[in-house]
Amino acid sequence: MSDTTTLISALETAPGVIIPLIREVPPQILKRRPSAAKWSAYEHACHLSQSDAPFRGRLDMILSSPEPYIESIENSPEDEAGALLAIDLDASLDRYVRERAALVERLKQLSSDEWQKTAEHEAFDHYSVWIMFRHLLNHEMLHAYRIEELLLKKDWD
């Protein structure tokens, strides 16, 4: 099994990378979508603040069920249509920091056996607590990358 300490540390420090990144985005492009079907930096940031709760729920299910089944998480049609633009960014980022700290404390309490506990996942060949939280980190780094792409974009039409 991979190093849980390293994974927890990466999850713990991610807000310290992502929040300054979103704060760097100029106000005139913060809510601007690069195309109708692509999220703005603002939407990516608000989405991240909503990510920990479903993963905590999944963790509870995996640890408490003898044969846990995990369904894929899809963005809602409302979020795809722009609903995240109506969320308060400051409150959203505060939530991200608060919920991430609570998640990290929970992860630090897991035993080696709990990290290895598996579940059947709707879309993935294999899945475990370790994979789930590695996936959470990869997910947020993807969104951070999208924010950075928008921040650094030269050609806004």
Side-chain angles (χ1 to χ4, degrees), residues 58-95:
R58 286 176 168 190
L59 176 61
D60 291 342
M61 181 193 319
I62 291 173
L63 296 180
S64 66
S65 301
E67 295 182 26
Y69 179 80
I70 306 296
E71 294 180 6
S72 296
I73 300 172
E74 300 293 333
N75 295 326
S76 72
E78 294 81 14
D79 285 352
E80 291 297 329
L84 293 170
L85 293 167
I87 295 174
D88 180 88
L89 181 61
D90 292 330
S92 184
L93 295 177
D94 287 347
R95 174 184 177 188

Side-chain angles (χ1 to χ4, degrees), residues 2 17-18 21 23 25 39 41 46 48 51 58 69 88 93 95 101 103 105 109 123 143 145 148:
S2 298
V17 173
I18 294 170
L21 177 62
R23 295 294 189 203
V25 179
W39 280 354
C46 290
L48 286 175
S51 297
R58 286 176 168 190
Y69 179 80
D88 180 88
L93 295 177
R95 174 184 177 188
L103 176 63
E105 287 309 309
Q109 303 306 313
H143 285 282
Y145 182 79
E148 186 168 71

Side-chain angles (χ1 to χ4, degrees), residues 7 24 29 39 41 49 68 88 110 117 126 129-130 133 135:
L7 178 58
E24 191 178 336
I29 63 168
W39 280 354
S49 76
D88 180 88
L110 295 180
K117 189 141 183 348
H126 58 284
V129 171
W130 165 261
F133 287 104
H135 184 93

Side-chain angles (χ1 to χ4, degrees), residues 121-140:
H121 191 288
E122 177 180 18
F124 301 138
D125 177 63
H126 58 284
Y127 201 71
S128 66
V129 171
W130 165 261
I131 290 169
M132 177 172 59
F133 287 104
R134 182 182 63 195
H135 184 93
L136 176 61
L137 178 65
N138 289 329
H139 167 261
E140 72 186 353

